[in-house]
Amino acid sequence: MASEDVKTSESAVSTIVNLAEEAKLAREGVKSPSYAILSICKSLVAGGVAGGVSRTAVAPLERLKILLQVQNPHSIKYNGTIQGLKYIWRTEGFRGLFKGNGTNCARIVPNSAVKFFSYEEASKGILYLYQQQTGNEDAQLTPFLRLGAGACAGIIAMSATYPMDMVRGRLTVQTEGSPYQYRGMFHALSTVLRQEGPRALYKGWLPSVIGVVPYVGLNFAVYESLKDWLIKSRPFGLVEDSELSVTTRLACGAAAGTVGQTVAYPLDVIRRRMQMVGWKDAASVVTGDGRNKASLEYTGMIDAFRKTVRHEGVGALYKGLVPNSVKVVPSIAIAFVTYEVVKDILGVEIRISD
């Protein structure tokens, strides 16, 4: 979100576009249900592979971002993008750059499946209410209403797979020097459940949900504004016959994703810090009040904001923003290319359009 899932890594714009196209296939497939179901399954596979490849490609930057977000401010280990990556390589080796990536990739398929189903159901519900309100049974969803359906789908999918994101954050943060090691996703889930209870799996959920609104909204608004401006002004010959090239669309998506992530980023920082609360064996977590080395406890999202700003300044809300921004363009590009290649291999007839 606000990281998960660009984050992951894939922009909200591309997610909404892909979901809309998949929904269109489902509607067009009413005459042939088996074809529609097969096409949707192939699309989910293509999306899962594309998401896995793109997330793996930028996994070192993603891990560094999370480490910067939660590291002990009185014992700085990671001080910038280049230095941070070098430090991980030197202290943990090549594998250290990809800690937590397996769990991050494992979230893709269930997240995409829930998101697709939720988008379909939300679209039907919103369309029904819209038709009842306008009294027009032939009315169709407006872009704004589709945005609302996409936001609902994103929140539902994020909530359904949030425990995996929570333990992914902890797996990512633990280092070779951690006194207690999670051995993997399932071990982390069972350990958190046993030691902290089921509610612990949803620590940081509220800022994640709140972050969906500005992130998705700004993505959509910036993307559409850039597209309209390019079509009207036609700068540098980027527009031919009122159509944007694939490269130009990717650039617009990257710009929109960067703006959306930057505005919603403080919520992502708070989410990660809240996920660390209660984990007594964390080796690189934010510390307590003042110079106290005890683990910091937050009573809620507002308290987390207040303590973070009081003890570390406003700049702490943007820790890790640089590596997070750097990974946007390659992540979107790799995901797009991989999706197209896998789609062609599977024979999925989907086109990305406006």
Side-chain angles (χ1 to χ4, degrees):
M1 164 277 323
S3 143
E4 211 121 19
D5 162 42
V6 180
K7 266 167 271 101
T8 139
S9 318
E10 61 175 345
S11 73
V13 173
S14 62
T15 301
I16 291 172
V17 170
N18 288 338
L19 284 170
E21 291 299 325
E22 290 162 358
K24 185 190 298 182
L25 269 179
R27 290 192 295 273
E28 291 173 349
V30 172
K31 296 179 181 179
S32 178
S34 60
Y35 174 77
I37 294 173
L38 181 61
S39 297
I40 292 170
C41 290
K42 288 180 178 180
S43 298
L44 287 174
V45 171
V49 174
V53 172
S54 65
R55 293 182 191 201
T56 301
V58 299
L61 291 169
E62 177 67 15
R63 187 184 182 215
L64 176 62
K65 179 200 76 173
I66 296 176
L67 287 169
L68 287 169
Q69 288 177 333
V70 303
Q71 76 170 334
N72 185 333
H74 307 307
S75 179
I76 301 297
K77 296 179 181 178
Y78 313 97
N79 188 20
T81 304
I82 302 300
Q83 182 275 336
L85 292 174
K86 287 182 177 179
Y87 183 84
I88 295 173
W89 177 277
R90 186 172 67 254
T91 57
E92 301 181 63
F94 179 77
R95 292 183 61 185
L97 296 171
F98 295 89
K99 275 190 177 176
N101 184 58
T103 305
N104 195 25
C105 292
R107 294 173 52 238
I108 297 173
V109 174
N111 185 278
S112 298
V114 173
K115 190 179 296 180
F116 170 70
F117 177 77
S118 301
Y119 181 83
E120 275 291 281
E121 295 305 310
S123 297
K124 291 176 183 177
I126 292 174
L127 179 59
Y128 174 77
L129 294 175
Y130 182 60
Q131 290 174 339
Q132 293 296 311
Q133 183 180 18
T134 59
N136 180 10
E137 295 185 356
D138 295 325
Q140 297 297 317
L141 288 177
T142 64
F144 180 76
L145 293 178
R146 287 188 181 278
L147 174 63
C152 288
I155 291 173
I156 293 172
M158 181 271 296
S159 299
T161 58
Y162 191 81
M164 296 176 71
D165 180 71
M166 190 271 187
V167 299
R168 192 263 292 201
R170 292 195 175 187
L171 286 167
T172 299
V173 165
Q174 73 178 9
T175 65
E176 297 300 326
S178 298
Y180 182 84
Q181 296 282 334
Y182 292 129
R183 296 192 296 271
M185 180 178 68
F186 294 108
H187 180 248
L189 285 169
S190 62
T191 302
V192 173
L193 275 173
R194 185 175 65 256
Q195 295 182 351
E196 303 173 49
R199 291 185 61 184
L201 294 175
Y202 281 89
K203 287 179 178 178
W205 176 83
L206 182 59
S208 297
V209 171
I210 296 175
V212 168
V213 178
Y215 179 72
V216 175
L218 281 170
N219 257 292
F220 186 82
V222 173
Y223 180 82
E224 290 298 322
S225 298
L226 278 174
K227 187 183 69 174
D228 292 343
W229 176 75
L230 288 171
I231 291 175
K232 290 177 181 177
S233 60
R234 298 173 177 269
F236 313 113
L238 295 175
V239 181
E240 296 181 3
D241 300 325
S242 298
E243 290 291 334
L244 298 180
S245 66
V246 172
T247 303
T248 305
R249 289 188 194 182
L250 285 175
C252 290
T258 301
V259 173
Q261 286 185 25
T262 301
V263 173
Y265 195 77
L267 288 163
D268 189 55
V269 172
I270 295 302
R271 169 175 69 120
R272 289 299 176 198
R273 293 191 170 204
M274 291 179 70
Q275 288 177 349
M276 301 300 124
V277 172
W279 186 23
K280 61 183 179 62
D281 293 309
S284 295
V285 295
V286 65
T287 59
D289 293 353
R291 306 293 293 187
N292 187 356
K293 302 302 180 182
S295 296
L296 181 60
E297 293 291 336
Y298 301 123
T299 58
M301 182 181 69
I302 301 300
D303 185 52
F305 269 109
R306 181 174 57 82
K307 288 181 178 177
T308 297
V309 173
R310 179 201 298 169
H311 301 301
E312 300 177 58
V314 177
L317 297 175
Y318 289 91
K319 285 183 175 180
L321 180 61
V322 173
N324 187 66
S325 299
V326 170
K327 71 183 177 68
V328 171
V329 175
S331 176
I332 293 176
I334 292 171
F336 181 85
V337 172
T338 307
Y339 182 81
E340 289 296 312
V341 171
V342 176
K343 179 194 69 177
D344 290 339
I345 293 174
L346 296 176
V348 183
E349 297 180 0
I350 298 177
R351 60 186 178 81
I352 292 183
S353 63
D354 296 336

